[in-house]
Amino acid sequence: MKLRRRQRERLSLGLQYLVFIAIIAAVLFAADWDRLKDAFFRVDIIKSMFPTIITVALRNTILYTLGAFAFGLVFGTILALMKLSRVAPYRWVATAYIELFRGLPALLVLFLVGYGIPIAFPEREIPGGVFGSIAIGLGLTAAAYMAETIRAGIQAVPKGQMEAARTLGMSHFTAMRTIVIPQAFRIVIPPLTNELILLTKDSSLAYVLGVTAQTIEITKFGRDMLNDRVNATPLLVAGLAYLIITLPLSQVVRRLELRYAKAR
Amino acid sequence: MTTTPSRPAVEIRDLHKSFGSLKVLKGIDFEVGQGEVVCVIGPSGSGKSTLLRCVDLLEEPTAGKIWVNGVEMTDPDVEIDAARRGIGMVFQSFNLFPHLTVLNNLTIAQRRVLRRSRAEAERVARVNLERVGLTDKADAFPAQLSGGQQQRAAIARSLSMEPKLMLFDEPTSALDPELVGDVLTVMRKLAEDGMTMMVVTHEMAFARDVADRVVFMDGGVVVEQGSPQEVLGAPKHERTRAFLSRVLDPTHVAQLGQPDQSPEPPQATGLPADDRHNL
């Protein structure tokens, strides 16, 4: 019998669902749930992680992330402007910086900032202690990525915007600051959000600086608990703790984009 | 028109402008008197937009000198931001700031450049919104306005800086036909109020009714100029006649009987229309 087009489509879709459900069912039935639960979901261990994981670890993760993001945003904007500058040496420096720091592992940069700067300037301290070191150490790498994003955003603002601002008597700097850059940032909200979420997870590199009980963040906290209790439950909880940050963040950004949609 | 003994609003001497090897302006000598309304017409690629943009130094002239209100714009040491304050520019593509409300579009330069207080800037802005008939759109964003409303808001934005000279770069070319009239009415009112205006336009009716002088450009030179009656009514040059017959009677271009000429206005290849991306 020859099937009609809609019948063929329905049959094809039905088969796809069937395969999908079969795979999930196979995994669910084949898994040894009791052993899994014992290794990853011990309620007593979960209880013992609270409230420290929230009041200390989650808080520090957020602080480190925001610090690195703020540093990266400011420095990245400067780099972006340098890269678009009419002054050739500015462009060379910015390009060299971006190429270098995009290529270096964030871990290495963080290590160099955390241990190199104190050796180079023994009398001085990085302001903010561990927080400052992480903000700068991760921010230096983040700035290199953000610079390229922001540069693209600035270039996406139509030329006429700068011209209109200049014909009203604004200096290049004022026009950039009040007209072009605000529009550029609206354009680059989605990629900057990506960067913020990546930084959230990169903040786990803080362990190379030797964090204490007060400066511990989510991943290190989870790993310490893992070693302490010889059980993987803390890792699962730590992983879920990151979602507490990233999921609302996505919502906030979606709202932000909607709000800006009419002013575009 | 030029009743005052002071210097003309705009003086241009032997202006040349090239984009790479492409010569767009080939020696322009030109004046706009105080209070005068000059319409510049001509085919695409004739250099009329480039000429207008040179006056505000959005394009750097290759050679020649330009004075605006007695200030030499082409002086390498000119305080360009200060000089531009006296000049309003209206673009074909409006170029309103999309992230600001209409009111803030009108106040931002007043506050940042003229250092006016918010209250004073808003007062001036509302006066100018009234002039262009947009009092009810103060809190709207540009994207919520029609093209004609956007262009009128852009004119009000320029007027809020209280310029002595207004430059219009094909202000109605991007508008739907039924919206052109509103913008031209605003411009006519401005002319009647005594504003010095230099208008690059394809609106021949506007040139005929409002201009004190019409300038026809082709191939980077001023071909002829004079009163609207002279240039539009009885053009002396063949190129002017050919252009006018194309613009005024576009469906009968073939009857010109010049088989070697394309029915389109001559378009210099490689020159972006209206030169907007060459700054």
Side-chain angles (χ1 to χ4, degrees), chain B residues 60-119:
Chain B
E60 195 103 24
T62 311
K65 285 186 192 297
I66 300 169
W67 290 265
V68 176
N69 297 319
V71 176
E72 192 195 329
M73 304 293 283
T74 39
D75 180 347
D77 282 329
V78 68
E79 294 294 341
I80 187 64
D81 299 333
R84 279 179 176 146
R85 267 173 236 168
I87 308 171
M89 178 89 171
V90 175
F91 298 89
Q92 182 179 349
S93 50
F94 328 135
N95 293 346
L96 286 177
F97 306 134
H99 62 304
L100 301 175
T101 62
V102 168
L103 189 69
N104 286 338
N105 262 277
L106 270 64
T107 57
I108 188 157
Q110 293 187 64
R111 301 193 60 205
R112 305 274 175 182
V113 177
L114 303 178
R115 301 274 157 211
R116 283 179 182 157
S117 69
R118 175 186 290 276

Coordinates of all heavy atoms in Angstrom, one line a residue, chain B residues 60-119:
Chain B
E60 N 36.9 65.4 4.3 CA 38.1 66.3 4.3 C 38.4 66.7 2.8 O 38.7 65.8 2.0 CB 39.3 65.5 4.9 CG 40.4 66.4 5.3 CD 40.5 66.6 6.8 OE1 39.9 65.8 7.5 OE2 41.0 67.6 7.2
P61 N 38.3 67.9 2.5 CA 38.6 68.3 1.1 C 40.1 68.0 0.7 O 41.0 68.0 1.6 CB 38.4 69.8 1.1 CG 37.6 70.1 2.3 CD 37.9 69.1 3.3
T62 N 40.3 67.6 -0.5 CA 41.6 67.3 -1.0 C 42.4 68.6 -1.2 O 43.6 68.7 -1.0 CB 41.5 66.5 -2.3 OG1 40.6 65.4 -2.1 CG2 42.9 65.9 -2.7
A63 N 41.7 69.6 -1.7 CA 42.3 70.9 -1.9 C 41.2 72.0 -1.9 O 40.0 71.7 -2.1 CB 43.1 71.0 -3.2
G64 N 41.6 73.2 -1.6 CA 40.7 74.3 -1.6 C 40.3 74.8 -0.2 O 40.8 74.2 0.8
K65 N 39.6 75.9 -0.1 CA 39.3 76.4 1.2 C 37.8 76.6 1.4 O 37.1 76.9 0.4 CB 40.0 77.8 1.4 CG 41.5 77.7 1.6 CD 42.0 79.1 1.9 CE 43.5 79.1 1.9 NZ 44.2 78.3 2.9
I66 N 37.3 76.5 2.6 CA 35.9 76.7 2.9 C 35.8 77.5 4.2 O 36.5 77.3 5.2 CB 35.2 75.3 3.2 CG1 35.3 74.4 2.0 CG2 33.8 75.5 3.6 CD1 34.8 73.0 2.3
W67 N 35.0 78.6 4.1 CA 34.7 79.4 5.3 C 33.2 79.2 5.6 O 32.4 79.2 4.7 CB 35.0 80.9 5.1 CG 36.4 81.2 5.0 CD1 37.3 81.7 6.0 CD2 37.2 81.2 3.8 NE1 38.5 81.9 5.5 CE2 38.5 81.7 4.1 CE3 37.0 80.9 2.5 CZ2 39.6 81.8 3.2 CZ3 38.0 81.0 1.5 CH2 39.3 81.4 1.9
V68 N 32.9 79.1 6.9 CA 31.5 79.1 7.3 C 31.4 80.1 8.4 O 32.1 80.1 9.4 CB 31.1 77.7 7.9 CG1 29.7 77.8 8.4 CG2 31.2 76.7 6.8
N69 N 30.5 81.1 8.2 CA 30.4 82.2 9.1 C 31.7 82.9 9.5 O 32.0 83.2 10.6 CB 29.6 81.8 10.3 CG 28.2 81.3 10.0 OD1 27.5 81.9 9.2 ND2 27.8 80.2 10.6
G70 N 32.6 83.0 8.5 CA 33.9 83.6 8.7 C 35.0 82.7 9.3 O 36.1 83.2 9.4
V71 N 34.6 81.5 9.7 CA 35.6 80.6 10.2 C 36.1 79.7 9.1 O 35.3 79.1 8.4 CB 35.0 79.7 11.3 CG1 36.0 78.7 11.8 CG2 34.5 80.6 12.5
E72 N 37.4 79.6 9.0 CA 37.9 78.7 7.9 C 37.9 77.3 8.4 O 38.7 76.9 9.2 CB 39.4 79.1 7.5 CG 39.8 78.4 6.2 CD 41.3 78.4 6.0 OE1 42.0 79.4 6.4 OE2 41.8 77.4 5.4
M73 N 37.0 76.5 7.8 CA 36.8 75.1 8.2 C 38.0 74.3 7.8 O 38.3 73.2 8.4 CB 35.6 74.5 7.5 CG 34.3 75.2 7.9 SD 33.8 75.1 9.6 CE 33.2 73.5 9.7
T74 N 38.7 74.7 6.7 CA 39.8 73.9 6.2 C 41.1 74.2 6.8 O 42.1 73.6 6.5 CB 39.9 74.1 4.6 OG1 39.7 75.5 4.4 CG2 38.9 73.3 3.9
D75 N 41.1 75.1 7.8 CA 42.3 75.4 8.6 C 42.7 74.1 9.4 O 41.8 73.7 10.1 CB 42.1 76.6 9.5 CG 43.3 76.9 10.3 OD1 44.2 76.1 10.4 OD2 43.3 78.0 10.9
P76 N 43.9 73.6 9.3 CA 44.2 72.4 10.0 C 44.0 72.5 11.5 O 43.8 71.6 12.3 CB 45.6 72.1 9.7 CG 45.9 72.9 8.5 CD 45.0 74.0 8.4
D77 N 44.1 73.8 12.0 CA 44.0 74.0 13.5 C 42.6 74.5 13.9 O 42.4 74.9 15.0 CB 45.0 75.1 13.9 CG 46.4 74.5 14.0 OD1 46.5 73.3 14.4 OD2 47.4 75.2 13.8
V78 N 41.6 74.3 13.0 CA 40.3 74.8 13.3 C 39.7 74.0 14.5 O 39.9 72.8 14.6 CB 39.3 74.7 12.1 CG1 39.1 73.2 11.8 CG2 38.0 75.4 12.3
E79 N 39.0 74.7 15.4 CA 38.3 74.1 16.5 C 37.0 73.5 15.9 O 36.0 74.1 16.0 CB 38.0 75.0 17.7 CG 39.3 75.6 18.3 CD 40.0 74.5 19.1 OE1 39.4 73.4 19.4 OE2 41.2 74.7 19.4
I80 N 37.2 72.3 15.4 CA 36.1 71.8 14.6 C 34.8 71.6 15.3 O 33.7 71.9 14.8 CB 36.5 70.5 13.8 CG1 35.4 70.0 12.8 CG2 36.8 69.4 14.8 CD1 35.2 71.0 11.7
D81 N 34.9 71.2 16.6 CA 33.6 71.0 17.4 C 32.9 72.3 17.6 O 31.7 72.4 17.5 CB 33.9 70.3 18.7 CG 34.6 68.9 18.5 OD1 34.3 68.3 17.5 OD2 35.3 68.5 19.4
A82 N 33.7 73.3 17.9 CA 33.1 74.7 18.1 C 32.5 75.2 16.8 O 31.4 75.7 16.7 CB 34.1 75.6 18.6
A83 N 33.2 75.0 15.6 CA 32.7 75.5 14.4 C 31.4 74.8 14.0 O 30.5 75.4 13.4 CB 33.8 75.2 13.3
R84 N 31.4 73.5 14.3 CA 30.2 72.7 13.8 C 28.9 73.1 14.7 O 27.8 72.8 14.2 CB 30.4 71.2 14.0 CG 31.2 70.6 12.9 CD 31.4 69.1 13.1 NE 32.1 68.5 12.0 CZ 33.0 67.5 12.1 NH1 33.3 67.0 13.3 NH2 33.5 67.0 11.1
R85 N 29.1 73.7 15.8 CA 28.0 74.1 16.6 C 27.1 75.0 15.9 O 25.9 75.1 16.1 CB 28.4 74.7 17.9 CG 28.6 73.8 19.1 CD 29.2 74.4 20.3 NE 30.4 73.7 20.6 CZ 31.3 74.2 21.5 NH1 31.2 75.3 22.0 NH2 32.4 73.4 21.8
G86 N 27.6 75.9 15.0 CA 26.8 76.8 14.3 C 26.2 76.3 13.0 O 25.5 77.0 12.3
I87 N 26.4 75.0 12.8 CA 25.9 74.4 11.6 C 25.1 73.2 11.9 O 25.5 72.3 12.7 CB 27.1 73.8 10.7 CG1 28.2 74.9 10.5 CG2 26.6 73.3 9.4 CD1 29.4 74.4 9.8
G88 N 23.8 73.2 11.4 CA 23.0 72.0 11.6 C 23.0 71.2 10.3 O 23.1 71.7 9.2
M89 N 23.0 69.8 10.5 CA 23.0 68.9 9.4 C 21.9 67.9 9.5 O 21.6 67.3 10.5 CB 24.4 68.2 9.4 CG 24.5 67.2 8.3 SD 25.3 68.0 6.9 CE 25.6 66.5 5.8
V90 N 21.2 67.8 8.4 CA 20.1 66.9 8.3 C 20.4 65.8 7.3 O 20.7 66.2 6.1 CB 18.7 67.6 8.0 CG1 17.6 66.6 7.8 CG2 18.4 68.6 9.1
F91 N 20.3 64.5 7.7 CA 20.8 63.5 6.8 C 19.6 62.8 6.1 O 18.5 62.8 6.6 CB 21.5 62.4 7.6 CG 22.8 62.9 8.3 CD1 22.7 63.5 9.6 CD2 24.0 62.8 7.7 CE1 23.8 63.9 10.2 CE2 25.1 63.3 8.4 CZ 25.0 63.8 9.6
Q92 N 20.0 62.2 5.0 CA 19.0 61.4 4.2 C 18.4 60.3 5.1 O 17.2 60.0 5.1 CB 19.6 60.8 3.0 CG 18.7 60.0 2.1 CD 19.4 59.4 0.9 OE1 20.5 59.8 0.6 NE2 18.7 58.5 0.2
S93 N 19.2 59.7 5.9 CA 18.8 58.5 6.7 C 18.5 58.9 8.2 O 18.6 58.1 9.1 CB 19.8 57.4 6.7 OG 21.1 58.0 7.0
F94 N 18.2 60.2 8.4 CA 17.7 60.8 9.7 C 18.8 60.7 10.8 O 19.1 61.7 11.4 CB 16.5 60.1 10.2 CG 15.5 59.6 9.2 CD1 14.9 58.4 9.3 CD2 15.2 60.4 8.1 CE1 14.0 57.9 8.3 CE2 14.3 60.0 7.1 CZ 13.7 58.7 7.3
N95 N 19.3 59.5 11.0 CA 20.4 59.3 12.0 C 20.0 59.8 13.4 O 20.8 60.4 14.1 CB 21.7 60.0 11.6 CG 22.3 59.3 10.4 OD1 21.9 58.2 10.0 ND2 23.3 60.0 9.8
L96 N 18.7 59.6 13.8 CA 18.3 59.8 15.2 C 19.1 58.8 16.0 O 19.4 57.7 15.5 CB 16.8 59.7 15.3 CG 16.0 60.9 14.8 CD1 14.5 60.5 15.0 CD2 16.3 62.2 15.5
F97 N 19.2 59.1 17.3 CA 19.9 58.2 18.2 C 18.8 57.2 18.7 O 18.0 57.5 19.5 CB 20.6 58.9 19.3 CG 21.5 60.0 18.9 CD1 21.5 61.2 19.5 CD2 22.4 59.7 17.9 CE1 22.4 62.2 19.0 CE2 23.3 60.7 17.4 CZ 23.2 62.0 18.0
P98 N 18.9 55.9 18.2 CA 17.8 55.0 18.5 C 17.6 54.6 20.0 O 16.6 54.2 20.4 CB 18.1 53.8 17.7 CG 19.6 53.8 17.5 CD 19.9 55.3 17.4
H99 N 18.7 54.8 20.8 CA 18.6 54.4 22.2 C 18.1 55.5 23.1 O 18.0 55.3 24.3 CB 20.0 53.9 22.7 CG 21.1 55.0 22.6 ND1 21.4 55.7 21.5 CD2 21.8 55.5 23.6 CE1 22.3 56.6 21.8 NE2 22.6 56.5 23.0
L100 N 17.8 56.6 22.5 CA 17.3 57.8 23.3 C 15.9 58.1 22.8 O 15.5 58.0 21.6 CB 18.2 59.0 23.1 CG 19.7 58.8 23.5 CD1 20.4 60.1 23.2 CD2 19.8 58.5 25.0
T101 N 15.1 58.6 23.8 CA 13.8 59.1 23.4 C 13.9 60.4 22.5 O 15.0 60.9 22.4 CB 12.9 59.5 24.6 OG1 13.6 60.6 25.3 CG2 12.7 58.4 25.6
V102 N 12.8 60.8 21.8 CA 12.9 61.9 21.0 C 13.4 63.1 21.8 O 14.3 63.9 21.4 CB 11.5 62.2 20.4 CG1 11.5 63.6 19.7 CG2 11.2 61.1 19.3
L103 N 12.8 63.3 23.0 CA 13.2 64.4 23.8 C 14.7 64.4 24.1 O 15.4 65.4 24.0 CB 12.4 64.5 25.1 CG 12.6 65.7 25.9 CD1 12.0 66.9 25.2 CD2 12.0 65.6 27.3
N104 N 15.2 63.2 24.5 CA 16.7 63.1 24.8 C 17.5 63.3 23.6 O 18.7 63.7 23.7 CB 16.9 61.8 25.5 CG 16.5 61.8 27.0 OD1 16.3 62.9 27.5 ND2 16.2 60.7 27.5
N105 N 17.0 62.9 22.4 CA 17.7 63.1 21.2 C 18.0 64.6 21.0 O 19.0 65.1 20.5 CB 16.9 62.6 20.0 CG 17.4 61.3 19.5 OD1 18.3 61.2 18.7 ND2 16.7 60.2 19.9
L106 N 17.0 65.4 21.4 CA 17.1 66.9 21.3 C 17.9 67.5 22.4 O 18.4 68.6 22.2 CB 15.7 67.5 21.2 CG 15.0 67.6 19.8 CD1 14.8 66.3 19.2 CD2 13.7 68.4 19.9
T107 N 18.0 66.9 23.6 CA 18.6 67.5 24.7 C 20.1 67.1 24.8 O 20.9 67.9 25.4 CB 17.9 67.3 26.0 OG1 17.8 65.8 26.2 CG2 16.5 67.9 26.0
I108 N 20.5 65.9 24.3 CA 21.8 65.4 24.7 C 22.9 66.3 24.3 O 23.8 66.6 25.1 CB 22.0 63.9 24.2 CG1 23.3 63.4 24.8 CG2 22.0 63.9 22.7 CD1 23.3 61.9 24.9
A109 N 22.9 66.8 23.1 CA 24.0 67.7 22.6 C 23.9 69.0 23.3 O 24.9 69.6 23.6 CB 23.9 67.9 21.1
Q110 N 22.7 69.5 23.6 CA 22.6 70.8 24.3 C 23.3 70.7 25.6 O 23.9 71.6 26.1 CB 21.1 71.1 24.6 CG 20.3 71.5 23.3 CD 18.9 71.9 23.8 OE1 18.8 73.0 24.4 NE2 17.9 71.2 23.5
R111 N 23.1 69.5 26.3 CA 23.6 69.4 27.6 C 25.1 69.1 27.6 O 25.9 69.6 28.4 CB 22.9 68.3 28.4 CG 21.4 68.6 28.5 CD 20.7 67.7 29.4 NE 21.2 67.8 30.8 CZ 21.2 66.9 31.7 NH1 20.6 65.7 31.4 NH2 21.7 67.1 32.9
R112 N 25.5 68.2 26.7 CA 26.9 67.8 26.6 C 27.8 68.9 26.0 O 29.0 69.0 26.3 CB 27.1 66.5 25.9 CG 26.3 65.4 26.4 CD 27.0 64.7 27.6 NE 26.1 63.7 28.1 CZ 26.4 62.9 29.2 NH1 27.6 63.1 29.8 NH2 25.6 62.0 29.6
V113 N 27.3 69.6 25.0 CA 28.1 70.5 24.2 C 27.9 71.9 24.7 O 28.9 72.6 25.0 CB 27.8 70.4 22.7 CG1 28.6 71.4 21.9 CG2 28.0 69.0 22.2
L114 N 26.6 72.3 24.8 CA 26.4 73.7 25.3 C 26.3 73.9 26.8 O 26.2 75.0 27.3 CB 25.1 74.2 24.7 CG 25.0 74.2 23.1 CD1 23.6 74.6 22.6 CD2 26.1 75.0 22.5
R115 N 26.4 72.7 27.5 CA 26.4 72.7 29.0 C 25.1 73.3 29.5 O 25.1 74.0 30.6 CB 27.6 73.4 29.5 CG 28.9 72.8 29.1 CD 29.3 71.7 30.0 NE 30.2 70.7 29.4 CZ 30.2 69.4 29.6 NH1 29.4 68.9 30.5 NH2 31.0 68.7 29.0
R116 N 24.0 73.2 28.8 CA 22.7 73.7 29.3 C 22.2 72.8 30.4 O 22.5 71.6 30.4 CB 21.7 73.8 28.2 CG 21.9 75.0 27.3 CD 20.9 75.0 26.2 NE 21.1 76.1 25.3 CZ 20.7 76.1 24.1 NH1 20.0 75.2 23.6 NH2 21.0 77.2 23.3
S117 N 21.4 73.4 31.4 CA 20.8 72.5 32.4 C 19.7 71.7 31.8 O 19.3 72.0 30.7 CB 20.2 73.4 33.5 OG 19.1 74.1 32.9
R118 N 19.3 70.6 32.5 CA 18.3 69.7 31.9 C 17.0 70.5 31.6 O 16.4 70.4 30.6 CB 18.0 68.6 32.9 CG 16.9 67.7 32.5 CD 16.5 66.7 33.5 NE 17.6 65.7 33.7 CZ 17.6 64.6 32.9 NH1 16.7 64.4 32.0 NH2 18.6 63.7 33.1
A119 N 16.6 71.4 32.6 CA 15.4 72.1 32.4 C 15.5 73.0 31.2 O 14.5 73.1 30.4 CB 15.1 72.9 33.7

